[in-house]
Amino acid sequence: METSKDISRLIEIMAALRTPVTGCPWDLEQNFSTIKPYTIEEAYEVADAIERNDMDDLCEELGDLLLQVVFHARMAEEAGEFSFGDVVQAITKKMIRRHPHVFAVSDAATPDAVKVQWDDIKTEEKRERAERRAHRGITEDFKLGYLGSVHRAQPALTEALKLQQRAAKVGFDWSAAEPILDKIEEEIGELREALRNGNQDKVTDELGDLIFALVNIGRHVKADPEEALRGTNTKFRRRFNYIETSLQQSNETLEAATLERMEELWQAAKAIERQIG
């Protein structure tokens, strides 16, 4: 198998990886649900490369993201649903349809006119989408209703925050931060109960409720939960790196270090931060 700049070679590679018996055991056991986390991760890595202005990484990460598209399309083709070619055709059709002022005839000559035209076309597309969903027997549609404007295709923390902000506009909200703290305590209790009962589905459900409540308190105290967590992630990286570096300087390893030893170094890292701060 030779490398190529032609997309057909990537499609051939994925087909070979998914071929029973001769393909890759790992690729063969995957499905849409198991691949979904990788798709999200690759999108984030593309964004990270852009933020770092690293064009070398961006080229590579875009390739990884493209692979995800090919992977999903291959599984869909195996299921008799659609192929990669159908994906390409769908997006080219959409782009041509939404830009009649470029690819056809249109009176839209100003940005405002283009915006009106775009919205009209999207309205028609939504109608067609609803017809397709009805034909497939899909009745639940989160794009409808008052919360329909809050897109699901975003990080869960961000979605939770925007759902709460949207609901608050019609008065479905806490009046102060203190009751939310009580709600958090309540959710912690329910999580403890689920853990005692050993019901994994219930544990997951209660954990989600707890995180949702934490997002709510963040909103009320004007601390964006995504940014707050990102700050904590950075702090964790910094402190853990201190543990690793300190162990190396003492000819110790992470694998051999006890939890007590790592906790000792963790506290030392915190002390240094307080001195600097």
PDB file of all heavy atoms in Angstrom, residues 116-153:
ATOM      1  N   VAL A 116     -30.227  37.116   4.978  1.00  0.00           N
ATOM      2  CA  VAL A 116     -31.652  36.797   4.844  1.00  0.00           C
ATOM      3  C   VAL A 116     -31.839  35.577   3.956  1.00  0.00           C
ATOM      4  O   VAL A 116     -32.617  34.659   4.252  1.00  0.00           O
ATOM      5  CB  VAL A 116     -32.428  38.004   4.276  1.00  0.00           C
ATOM      6  CG1 VAL A 116     -33.873  37.605   3.942  1.00  0.00           C
ATOM      7  CG2 VAL A 116     -32.418  39.165   5.258  1.00  0.00           C
ATOM      8  N   GLN A 117     -31.121  35.556   2.853  1.00  0.00           N
ATOM      9  CA  GLN A 117     -31.192  34.428   1.913  1.00  0.00           C
ATOM     10  C   GLN A 117     -30.746  33.135   2.592  1.00  0.00           C
ATOM     11  O   GLN A 117     -31.378  32.081   2.451  1.00  0.00           O
ATOM     12  CB  GLN A 117     -30.294  34.738   0.713  1.00  0.00           C
ATOM     13  CG  GLN A 117     -30.172  33.622  -0.294  1.00  0.00           C
ATOM     14  CD  GLN A 117     -29.245  34.014  -1.423  1.00  0.00           C
ATOM     15  OE1 GLN A 117     -29.697  34.471  -2.470  1.00  0.00           O
ATOM     16  NE2 GLN A 117     -27.936  33.848  -1.229  1.00  0.00           N
ATOM     17  N   TRP A 118     -29.635  33.210   3.362  1.00  0.00           N
ATOM     18  CA  TRP A 118     -29.096  32.049   4.080  1.00  0.00           C
ATOM     19  C   TRP A 118     -30.139  31.492   5.046  1.00  0.00           C
ATOM     20  O   TRP A 118     -30.345  30.283   5.126  1.00  0.00           O
ATOM     21  CB  TRP A 118     -27.830  32.479   4.811  1.00  0.00           C
ATOM     22  CG  TRP A 118     -27.145  31.420   5.635  1.00  0.00           C
ATOM     23  CD1 TRP A 118     -27.498  30.989   6.877  1.00  0.00           C
ATOM     24  CD2 TRP A 118     -25.986  30.655   5.270  1.00  0.00           C
ATOM     25  NE1 TRP A 118     -26.630  30.015   7.319  1.00  0.00           N
ATOM     26  CE2 TRP A 118     -25.701  29.797   6.347  1.00  0.00           C
ATOM     27  CE3 TRP A 118     -25.169  30.642   4.127  1.00  0.00           C
ATOM     28  CZ2 TRP A 118     -24.620  28.919   6.328  1.00  0.00           C
ATOM     29  CZ3 TRP A 118     -24.100  29.757   4.118  1.00  0.00           C
ATOM     30  CH2 TRP A 118     -23.826  28.905   5.196  1.00  0.00           C
ATOM     31  N   ASP A 119     -30.797  32.385   5.797  1.00  0.00           N
ATOM     32  CA  ASP A 119     -31.802  31.955   6.775  1.00  0.00           C
ATOM     33  C   ASP A 119     -32.993  31.295   6.089  1.00  0.00           C
ATOM     34  O   ASP A 119     -33.536  30.296   6.584  1.00  0.00           O
ATOM     35  CB  ASP A 119     -32.274  33.148   7.611  1.00  0.00           C
ATOM     36  CG  ASP A 119     -31.201  33.649   8.563  1.00  0.00           C
ATOM     37  OD1 ASP A 119     -30.268  32.875   8.858  1.00  0.00           O
ATOM     38  OD2 ASP A 119     -31.287  34.820   9.001  1.00  0.00           O
ATOM     39  N   ASP A 120     -33.402  31.835   4.939  1.00  0.00           N
ATOM     40  CA  ASP A 120     -34.520  31.244   4.194  1.00  0.00           C
ATOM     41  C   ASP A 120     -34.174  29.834   3.723  1.00  0.00           C
ATOM     42  O   ASP A 120     -35.009  28.918   3.803  1.00  0.00           O
ATOM     43  CB  ASP A 120     -34.876  32.121   2.984  1.00  0.00           C
ATOM     44  CG  ASP A 120     -35.530  33.439   3.389  1.00  0.00           C
ATOM     45  OD1 ASP A 120     -36.008  33.529   4.537  1.00  0.00           O
ATOM     46  OD2 ASP A 120     -35.547  34.367   2.555  1.00  0.00           O
ATOM     47  N   ILE A 121     -32.959  29.675   3.235  1.00  0.00           N
ATOM     48  CA  ILE A 121     -32.521  28.363   2.748  1.00  0.00           C
ATOM     49  C   ILE A 121     -32.449  27.371   3.905  1.00  0.00           C
ATOM     50  O   ILE A 121     -32.863  26.214   3.779  1.00  0.00           O
ATOM     51  CB  ILE A 121     -31.158  28.479   2.033  1.00  0.00           C
ATOM     52  CG1 ILE A 121     -31.297  29.314   0.763  1.00  0.00           C
ATOM     53  CG2 ILE A 121     -30.593  27.090   1.709  1.00  0.00           C
ATOM     54  CD1 ILE A 121     -29.971  29.654   0.095  1.00  0.00           C
ATOM     55  N   LYS A 122     -31.916  27.814   5.061  1.00  0.00           N
ATOM     56  CA  LYS A 122     -31.821  26.928   6.225  1.00  0.00           C
ATOM     57  C   LYS A 122     -33.209  26.512   6.706  1.00  0.00           C
ATOM     58  O   LYS A 122     -33.399  25.371   7.153  1.00  0.00           O
ATOM     59  CB  LYS A 122     -31.063  27.622   7.357  1.00  0.00           C
ATOM     60  CG  LYS A 122     -29.567  27.717   7.132  1.00  0.00           C
ATOM     61  CD  LYS A 122     -28.838  28.176   8.373  1.00  0.00           C
ATOM     62  CE  LYS A 122     -28.903  27.150   9.478  1.00  0.00           C
ATOM     63  NZ  LYS A 122     -28.093  27.531  10.657  1.00  0.00           N
ATOM     64  N   THR A 123     -34.192  27.408   6.629  1.00  0.00           N
ATOM     65  CA  THR A 123     -35.557  27.076   7.021  1.00  0.00           C
ATOM     66  C   THR A 123     -36.099  25.958   6.146  1.00  0.00           C
ATOM     67  O   THR A 123     -36.736  25.013   6.631  1.00  0.00           O
ATOM     68  CB  THR A 123     -36.472  28.311   6.914  1.00  0.00           C
ATOM     69  OG1 THR A 123     -35.994  29.319   7.814  1.00  0.00           O
ATOM     70  CG2 THR A 123     -37.902  27.959   7.260  1.00  0.00           C
ATOM     71  N   GLU A 124     -35.841  26.044   4.867  1.00  0.00           N
ATOM     72  CA  GLU A 124     -36.274  25.002   3.944  1.00  0.00           C
ATOM     73  C   GLU A 124     -35.548  23.686   4.225  1.00  0.00           C
ATOM     74  O   GLU A 124     -36.156  22.605   4.185  1.00  0.00           O
ATOM     75  CB  GLU A 124     -36.020  25.457   2.493  1.00  0.00           C
ATOM     76  CG  GLU A 124     -36.392  24.441   1.424  1.00  0.00           C
ATOM     77  CD  GLU A 124     -37.874  24.103   1.395  1.00  0.00           C
ATOM     78  OE1 GLU A 124     -38.679  24.870   1.960  1.00  0.00           O
ATOM     79  OE2 GLU A 124     -38.223  23.054   0.818  1.00  0.00           O
ATOM     80  N   GLU A 125     -34.257  23.775   4.535  1.00  0.00           N
ATOM     81  CA  GLU A 125     -33.488  22.572   4.855  1.00  0.00           C
ATOM     82  C   GLU A 125     -34.017  21.902   6.118  1.00  0.00           C
ATOM     83  O   GLU A 125     -34.054  20.668   6.218  1.00  0.00           O
ATOM     84  CB  GLU A 125     -32.008  22.928   5.021  1.00  0.00           C
ATOM     85  CG  GLU A 125     -31.316  23.288   3.721  1.00  0.00           C
ATOM     86  CD  GLU A 125     -29.888  23.780   3.934  1.00  0.00           C
ATOM     87  OE1 GLU A 125     -29.503  24.026   5.098  1.00  0.00           O
ATOM     88  OE2 GLU A 125     -29.153  23.906   2.930  1.00  0.00           O
ATOM     89  N   LYS A 126     -34.418  22.705   7.116  1.00  0.00           N
ATOM     90  CA  LYS A 126     -34.979  22.147   8.351  1.00  0.00           C
ATOM     91  C   LYS A 126     -36.279  21.398   8.072  1.00  0.00           C
ATOM     92  O   LYS A 126     -36.549  20.355   8.675  1.00  0.00           O
ATOM     93  CB  LYS A 126     -35.220  23.263   9.364  1.00  0.00           C
ATOM     94  CG  LYS A 126     -33.946  23.824   9.988  1.00  0.00           C
ATOM     95  CD  LYS A 126     -34.262  24.929  10.988  1.00  0.00           C
ATOM     96  CE  LYS A 126     -32.986  25.474  11.609  1.00  0.00           C
ATOM     97  NZ  LYS A 126     -33.264  26.569  12.576  1.00  0.00           N
ATOM     98  N   ARG A 127     -37.100  21.955   7.165  1.00  0.00           N
ATOM     99  CA  ARG A 127     -38.338  21.278   6.797  1.00  0.00           C
ATOM    100  C   ARG A 127     -38.049  19.926   6.156  1.00  0.00           C
ATOM    101  O   ARG A 127     -38.675  18.908   6.500  1.00  0.00           O
ATOM    102  CB  ARG A 127     -39.153  22.157   5.841  1.00  0.00           C
ATOM    103  CG  ARG A 127     -40.526  21.575   5.494  1.00  0.00           C
ATOM    104  CD  ARG A 127     -41.168  22.356   4.366  1.00  0.00           C
ATOM    105  NE  ARG A 127     -40.400  22.268   3.131  1.00  0.00           N
ATOM    106  CZ  ARG A 127     -40.394  21.200   2.344  1.00  0.00           C
ATOM    107  NH1 ARG A 127     -41.095  20.111   2.662  1.00  0.00           N
ATOM    108  NH2 ARG A 127     -39.692  21.196   1.230  1.00  0.00           N
ATOM    109  N   GLU A 128     -37.078  19.904   5.250  1.00  0.00           N
ATOM    110  CA  GLU A 128     -36.709  18.654   4.581  1.00  0.00           C
ATOM    111  C   GLU A 128     -36.127  17.658   5.591  1.00  0.00           C
ATOM    112  O   GLU A 128     -36.390  16.455   5.511  1.00  0.00           O
ATOM    113  CB  GLU A 128     -35.700  18.950   3.474  1.00  0.00           C
ATOM    114  CG  GLU A 128     -36.281  19.787   2.346  1.00  0.00           C
ATOM    115  CD  GLU A 128     -35.223  20.213   1.350  1.00  0.00           C
ATOM    116  OE1 GLU A 128     -34.024  19.910   1.597  1.00  0.00           O
ATOM    117  OE2 GLU A 128     -35.569  20.859   0.344  1.00  0.00           O
ATOM    118  N   ARG A 129     -35.328  18.169   6.541  1.00  0.00           N
ATOM    119  CA  ARG A 129     -34.745  17.310   7.575  1.00  0.00           C
ATOM    120  C   ARG A 129     -35.841  16.669   8.421  1.00  0.00           C
ATOM    121  O   ARG A 129     -35.782  15.486   8.754  1.00  0.00           O
ATOM    122  CB  ARG A 129     -33.798  18.122   8.462  1.00  0.00           C
ATOM    123  CG  ARG A 129     -33.256  17.384   9.676  1.00  0.00           C
ATOM    124  CD  ARG A 129     -32.310  18.276  10.470  1.00  0.00           C
ATOM    125  NE  ARG A 129     -31.864  17.632  11.684  1.00  0.00           N
ATOM    126  CZ  ARG A 129     -32.532  17.653  12.841  1.00  0.00           C
ATOM    127  NH1 ARG A 129     -33.690  18.290  12.914  1.00  0.00           N
ATOM    128  NH2 ARG A 129     -32.057  17.031  13.905  1.00  0.00           N
ATOM    129  N   ALA A 130     -36.853  17.459   8.778  1.00  0.00           N
ATOM    130  CA  ALA A 130     -37.953  16.945   9.586  1.00  0.00           C
ATOM    131  C   ALA A 130     -38.689  15.827   8.849  1.00  0.00           C
ATOM    132  O   ALA A 130     -39.093  14.826   9.450  1.00  0.00           O
ATOM    133  CB  ALA A 130     -38.920  18.081   9.926  1.00  0.00           C
ATOM    134  N   GLU A 131     -38.835  15.985   7.540  1.00  0.00           N
ATOM    135  CA  GLU A 131     -39.501  14.956   6.737  1.00  0.00           C
ATOM    136  C   GLU A 131     -38.678  13.671   6.713  1.00  0.00           C
ATOM    137  O   GLU A 131     -39.232  12.569   6.823  1.00  0.00           O
ATOM    138  CB  GLU A 131     -39.723  15.474   5.313  1.00  0.00           C
ATOM    139  CG  GLU A 131     -40.751  16.594   5.225  1.00  0.00           C
ATOM    140  CD  GLU A 131     -40.900  17.120   3.804  1.00  0.00           C
ATOM    141  OE1 GLU A 131     -40.121  16.678   2.925  1.00  0.00           O
ATOM    142  OE2 GLU A 131     -41.790  17.959   3.566  1.00  0.00           O
ATOM    143  N   ARG A 132     -37.361  13.805   6.580  1.00  0.00           N
ATOM    144  CA  ARG A 132     -36.496  12.620   6.570  1.00  0.00           C
ATOM    145  C   ARG A 132     -36.546  11.903   7.920  1.00  0.00           C
ATOM    146  O   ARG A 132     -36.600  10.672   7.979  1.00  0.00           O
ATOM    147  CB  ARG A 132     -35.046  13.011   6.243  1.00  0.00           C
ATOM    148  CG  ARG A 132     -34.820  13.512   4.829  1.00  0.00           C
ATOM    149  CD  ARG A 132     -33.328  13.523   4.479  1.00  0.00           C
ATOM    150  NE  ARG A 132     -32.548  14.326   5.399  1.00  0.00           N
ATOM    151  CZ  ARG A 132     -32.319  15.628   5.244  1.00  0.00           C
ATOM    152  NH1 ARG A 132     -32.827  16.271   4.202  1.00  0.00           N
ATOM    153  NH2 ARG A 132     -31.572  16.293   6.114  1.00  0.00           N
ATOM    154  N   ARG A 133     -36.516  12.668   9.011  1.00  0.00           N
ATOM    155  CA  ARG A 133     -36.558  12.078  10.348  1.00  0.00           C
ATOM    156  C   ARG A 133     -37.884  11.354  10.584  1.00  0.00           C
ATOM    157  O   ARG A 133     -37.916  10.278  11.165  1.00  0.00           O
ATOM    158  CB  ARG A 133     -36.344  13.162  11.404  1.00  0.00           C
ATOM    159  CG  ARG A 133     -34.925  13.712  11.438  1.00  0.00           C
ATOM    160  CD  ARG A 133     -34.815  14.910  12.352  1.00  0.00           C
ATOM    161  NE  ARG A 133     -35.144  14.589  13.724  1.00  0.00           N
ATOM    162  CZ  ARG A 133     -34.297  14.036  14.601  1.00  0.00           C
ATOM    163  NH1 ARG A 133     -33.053  13.784  14.223  1.00  0.00           N
ATOM    164  NH2 ARG A 133     -34.670  13.759  15.831  1.00  0.00           N
ATOM    165  N   ALA A 134     -38.973  11.966  10.119  1.00  0.00           N
ATOM    166  CA  ALA A 134     -40.286  11.339  10.282  1.00  0.00           C
ATOM    167  C   ALA A 134     -40.351  10.026   9.506  1.00  0.00           C
ATOM    168  O   ALA A 134     -40.919   9.036   9.978  1.00  0.00           O
ATOM    169  CB  ALA A 134     -41.374  12.300   9.798  1.00  0.00           C
ATOM    170  N   HIS A 135     -39.739  10.035   8.324  1.00  0.00           N
ATOM    171  CA  HIS A 135     -39.714   8.821   7.499  1.00  0.00           C
ATOM    172  C   HIS A 135     -38.954   7.699   8.202  1.00  0.00           C
ATOM    173  O   HIS A 135     -39.283   6.514   8.053  1.00  0.00           O
ATOM    174  CB  HIS A 135     -39.071   9.137   6.148  1.00  0.00           C
ATOM    175  CG  HIS A 135     -39.023   7.966   5.216  1.00  0.00           C
ATOM    176  ND1 HIS A 135     -40.147   7.450   4.612  1.00  0.00           N
ATOM    177  CD2 HIS A 135     -37.975   7.189   4.797  1.00  0.00           C
ATOM    178  CE1 HIS A 135     -39.803   6.414   3.854  1.00  0.00           C
ATOM    179  NE2 HIS A 135     -38.494   6.239   3.947  1.00  0.00           N
ATOM    180  N   ARG A 136     -37.922   8.062   8.985  1.00  0.00           N
ATOM    181  CA  ARG A 136     -37.131   7.068   9.714  1.00  0.00           C
ATOM    182  C   ARG A 136     -37.743   6.719  11.068  1.00  0.00           C
ATOM    183  O   ARG A 136     -37.212   5.888  11.798  1.00  0.00           O
ATOM    184  CB  ARG A 136     -35.707   7.579   9.930  1.00  0.00           C
ATOM    185  CG  ARG A 136     -34.810   7.503   8.702  1.00  0.00           C
ATOM    186  CD  ARG A 136     -33.445   8.091   8.985  1.00  0.00           C
ATOM    187  NE  ARG A 136     -32.496   7.810   7.909  1.00  0.00           N
ATOM    188  CZ  ARG A 136     -31.644   6.787   7.903  1.00  0.00           C
ATOM    189  NH1 ARG A 136     -31.627   5.945   8.924  1.00  0.00           N
ATOM    190  NH2 ARG A 136     -30.807   6.608   6.903  1.00  0.00           N
ATOM    191  N   GLY A 137     -38.819   7.373  11.436  1.00  0.00           N
ATOM    192  CA  GLY A 137     -39.470   7.101  12.704  1.00  0.00           C
ATOM    193  C   GLY A 137     -38.802   7.773  13.890  1.00  0.00           C
ATOM    194  O   GLY A 137     -39.002   7.364  15.042  1.00  0.00           O
ATOM    195  N   ILE A 138     -38.003   8.816  13.634  1.00  0.00           N
ATOM    196  CA  ILE A 138     -37.336   9.544  14.711  1.00  0.00           C
ATOM    197  C   ILE A 138     -38.252  10.675  15.162  1.00  0.00           C
ATOM    198  O   ILE A 138     -38.527  11.607  14.399  1.00  0.00           O
ATOM    199  CB  ILE A 138     -35.983  10.116  14.240  1.00  0.00           C
ATOM    200  CG1 ILE A 138     -35.081   8.998  13.705  1.00  0.00           C
ATOM    201  CG2 ILE A 138     -35.287  10.866  15.374  1.00  0.00           C
ATOM    202  CD1 ILE A 138     -33.781   9.487  13.092  1.00  0.00           C
ATOM    203  N   THR A 139     -38.742  10.595  16.395  1.00  0.00           N
ATOM    204  CA  THR A 139     -39.716  11.574  16.875  1.00  0.00           C
ATOM    205  C   THR A 139     -39.097  12.646  17.768  1.00  0.00           C
ATOM    206  O   THR A 139     -39.529  13.799  17.752  1.00  0.00           O
ATOM    207  CB  THR A 139     -40.837  10.861  17.654  1.00  0.00           C
ATOM    208  OG1 THR A 139     -40.259  10.109  18.737  1.00  0.00           O
ATOM    209  CG2 THR A 139     -41.604   9.908  16.744  1.00  0.00           C
ATOM    210  N   GLU A 140     -38.098  12.284  18.579  1.00  0.00           N
ATOM    211  CA  GLU A 140     -37.494  13.254  19.483  1.00  0.00           C
ATOM    212  C   GLU A 140     -36.524  14.151  18.716  1.00  0.00           C
ATOM    213  O   GLU A 140     -35.640  13.674  18.023  1.00  0.00           O
ATOM    214  CB  GLU A 140     -36.753  12.541  20.614  1.00  0.00           C
ATOM    215  CG  GLU A 140     -36.255  13.477  21.701  1.00  0.00           C
ATOM    216  CD  GLU A 140     -35.654  12.720  22.883  1.00  0.00           C
ATOM    217  OE1 GLU A 140     -34.894  11.762  22.654  1.00  0.00           O
ATOM    218  OE2 GLU A 140     -35.963  13.092  24.028  1.00  0.00           O
ATOM    219  N   ASP A 141     -36.695  15.452  18.877  1.00  0.00           N
ATOM    220  CA  ASP A 141     -35.840  16.394  18.157  1.00  0.00           C
ATOM    221  C   ASP A 141     -35.480  17.540  19.094  1.00  0.00           C
ATOM    222  O   ASP A 141     -36.295  18.419  19.376  1.00  0.00           O
ATOM    223  CB  ASP A 141     -36.553  16.931  16.920  1.00  0.00           C
ATOM    224  CG  ASP A 141     -35.613  17.706  15.995  1.00  0.00           C
ATOM    225  OD1 ASP A 141     -34.488  17.997  16.432  1.00  0.00           O
ATOM    226  OD2 ASP A 141     -36.008  18.000  14.854  1.00  0.00           O
ATOM    227  N   PHE A 142     -34.226  17.547  19.567  1.00  0.00           N
ATOM    228  CA  PHE A 142     -33.780  18.570  20.503  1.00  0.00           C
ATOM    229  C   PHE A 142     -33.551  19.923  19.842  1.00  0.00           C
ATOM    230  O   PHE A 142     -33.219  20.898  20.510  1.00  0.00           O
ATOM    231  CB  PHE A 142     -32.499  18.108  21.203  1.00  0.00           C
ATOM    232  CG  PHE A 142     -32.725  16.990  22.180  1.00  0.00           C
ATOM    233  CD1 PHE A 142     -32.227  15.725  21.929  1.00  0.00           C
ATOM    234  CD2 PHE A 142     -33.440  17.213  23.340  1.00  0.00           C
ATOM    235  CE1 PHE A 142     -32.444  14.690  22.830  1.00  0.00           C
ATOM    236  CE2 PHE A 142     -33.659  16.189  24.249  1.00  0.00           C
ATOM    237  CZ  PHE A 142     -33.170  14.925  23.985  1.00  0.00           C
ATOM    238  N   LYS A 143     -33.713  19.991  18.527  1.00  0.00           N
ATOM    239  CA  LYS A 143     -33.557  21.267  17.838  1.00  0.00           C
ATOM    240  C   LYS A 143     -34.852  22.075  17.865  1.00  0.00           C
ATOM    241  O   LYS A 143     -34.890  23.212  17.420  1.00  0.00           O
ATOM    242  CB  LYS A 143     -33.100  21.041  16.392  1.00  0.00           C
ATOM    243  CG  LYS A 143     -31.676  20.509  16.277  1.00  0.00           C
ATOM    244  CD  LYS A 143     -31.199  20.495  14.836  1.00  0.00           C
ATOM    245  CE  LYS A 143     -29.749  20.030  14.738  1.00  0.00           C
ATOM    246  NZ  LYS A 143     -29.253  20.045  13.349  1.00  0.00           N
ATOM    247  N   LEU A 144     -35.917  21.456  18.386  1.00  0.00           N
ATOM    248  CA  LEU A 144     -37.197  22.130  18.462  1.00  0.00           C
ATOM    249  C   LEU A 144     -37.412  22.695  19.865  1.00  0.00           C
ATOM    250  O   LEU A 144     -36.674  22.385  20.795  1.00  0.00           O
ATOM    251  CB  LEU A 144     -38.325  21.148  18.124  1.00  0.00           C
ATOM    252  CG  LEU A 144     -38.295  20.519  16.720  1.00  0.00           C
ATOM    253  CD1 LEU A 144     -39.444  19.533  16.567  1.00  0.00           C
ATOM    254  CD2 LEU A 144     -38.356  21.595  15.642  1.00  0.00           C
ATOM    255  N   GLY A 145     -38.417  23.535  20.032  1.00  0.00           N
ATOM    256  CA  GLY A 145     -38.761  24.061  21.340  1.00  0.00           C
ATOM    257  C   GLY A 145     -37.896  25.230  21.776  1.00  0.00           C
ATOM    258  O   GLY A 145     -36.984  25.666  21.053  1.00  0.00           O
ATOM    259  N   TYR A 146     -38.173  25.730  22.977  1.00  0.00           N
ATOM    260  CA  TYR A 146     -37.491  26.924  23.481  1.00  0.00           C
ATOM    261  C   TYR A 146     -35.989  26.709  23.613  1.00  0.00           C
ATOM    262  O   TYR A 146     -35.199  27.630  23.395  1.00  0.00           O
ATOM    263  CB  TYR A 146     -38.096  27.305  24.839  1.00  0.00           C
ATOM    264  CG  TYR A 146     -37.499  28.551  25.432  1.00  0.00           C
ATOM    265  CD1 TYR A 146     -37.798  29.808  24.921  1.00  0.00           C
ATOM    266  CD2 TYR A 146     -36.616  28.474  26.505  1.00  0.00           C
ATOM    267  CE1 TYR A 146     -37.238  30.962  25.445  1.00  0.00           C
ATOM    268  CE2 TYR A 146     -36.047  29.620  27.039  1.00  0.00           C
ATOM    269  CZ  TYR A 146     -36.367  30.863  26.510  1.00  0.00           C
ATOM    270  OH  TYR A 146     -35.798  31.990  27.041  1.00  0.00           O
ATOM    271  N   LEU A 147     -35.572  25.493  24.010  1.00  0.00           N
ATOM    272  CA  LEU A 147     -34.149  25.201  24.184  1.00  0.00           C
ATOM    273  C   LEU A 147     -33.482  24.730  22.889  1.00  0.00           C
ATOM    274  O   LEU A 147     -32.304  24.375  22.893  1.00  0.00           O
ATOM    275  CB  LEU A 147     -33.955  24.145  25.272  1.00  0.00           C
ATOM    276  CG  LEU A 147     -34.392  24.546  26.691  1.00  0.00           C
ATOM    277  CD1 LEU A 147     -34.194  23.377  27.651  1.00  0.00           C
ATOM    278  CD2 LEU A 147     -33.622  25.771  27.172  1.00  0.00           C
ATOM    279  N   GLY A 148     -34.235  24.717  21.805  1.00  0.00           N
ATOM    280  CA  GLY A 148     -33.700  24.220  20.536  1.00  0.00           C
ATOM    281  C   GLY A 148     -32.536  25.020  19.996  1.00  0.00           C
ATOM    282  O   GLY A 148     -31.728  24.513  19.212  1.00  0.00           O
ATOM    283  N   SER A 149     -32.447  26.292  20.419  1.00  0.00           N
ATOM    284  CA  SER A 149     -31.353  27.134  19.929  1.00  0.00           C
ATOM    285  C   SER A 149     -30.021  26.808  20.590  1.00  0.00           C
ATOM    286  O   SER A 149     -28.974  27.277  20.144  1.00  0.00           O
ATOM    287  CB  SER A 149     -31.682  28.613  20.170  1.00  0.00           C
ATOM    288  OG  SER A 149     -31.859  28.862  21.553  1.00  0.00           O
ATOM    289  N   VAL A 150     -30.064  26.019  21.671  1.00  0.00           N
ATOM    290  CA  VAL A 150     -28.829  25.602  22.348  1.00  0.00           C
ATOM    291  C   VAL A 150     -28.332  24.329  21.685  1.00  0.00           C
ATOM    292  O   VAL A 150     -28.939  23.266  21.830  1.00  0.00           O
ATOM    293  CB  VAL A 150     -29.060  25.353  23.856  1.00  0.00           C
ATOM    294  CG1 VAL A 150     -27.755  24.916  24.521  1.00  0.00           C
ATOM    295  CG2 VAL A 150     -29.609  26.601  24.524  1.00  0.00           C
ATOM    296  N   HIS A 151     -27.255  24.419  20.951  1.00  0.00           N
ATOM    297  CA  HIS A 151     -26.753  23.283  20.186  1.00  0.00           C
ATOM    298  C   HIS A 151     -26.166  22.209  21.095  1.00  0.00           C
ATOM    299  O   HIS A 151     -25.483  22.508  22.081  1.00  0.00           O
ATOM    300  CB  HIS A 151     -25.686  23.749  19.184  1.00  0.00           C
ATOM    301  CG  HIS A 151     -26.192  24.736  18.195  1.00  0.00           C
ATOM    302  ND1 HIS A 151     -27.170  24.439  17.270  1.00  0.00           N
ATOM    303  CD2 HIS A 151     -25.869  26.046  17.976  1.00  0.00           C
ATOM    304  CE1 HIS A 151     -27.429  25.500  16.533  1.00  0.00           C
ATOM    305  NE2 HIS A 151     -26.656  26.484  16.942  1.00  0.00           N
ATOM    306  N   ARG A 152     -26.420  20.963  20.764  1.00  0.00           N
ATOM    307  CA  ARG A 152     -25.850  19.840  21.512  1.00  0.00           C
ATOM    308  C   ARG A 152     -24.398  19.583  21.111  1.00  0.00           C
ATOM    309  O   ARG A 152     -23.634  18.998  21.881  1.00  0.00           O
ATOM    310  CB  ARG A 152     -26.672  18.563  21.256  1.00  0.00           C
ATOM    311  CG  ARG A 152     -28.028  18.568  21.941  1.00  0.00           C
ATOM    312  CD  ARG A 152     -28.858  17.371  21.527  1.00  0.00           C
ATOM    313  NE  ARG A 152     -28.178  16.104  21.761  1.00  0.00           N
ATOM    314  CZ  ARG A 152     -28.177  15.466  22.935  1.00  0.00           C
ATOM    315  NH1 ARG A 152     -28.798  15.995  23.978  1.00  0.00           N
ATOM    316  NH2 ARG A 152     -27.561  14.305  23.065  1.00  0.00           N
ATOM    317  N   ALA A 153     -24.023  20.031  19.913  1.00  0.00           N
ATOM    318  CA  ALA A 153     -22.678  19.749  19.393  1.00  0.00           C
ATOM    319  C   ALA A 153     -21.661  20.737  19.957  1.00  0.00           C
ATOM    320  O   ALA A 153     -21.088  21.550  19.230  1.00  0.00           O
ATOM    321  CB  ALA A 153     -22.682  19.796  17.866  1.00  0.00           C
TER     322      ALA A 153
END
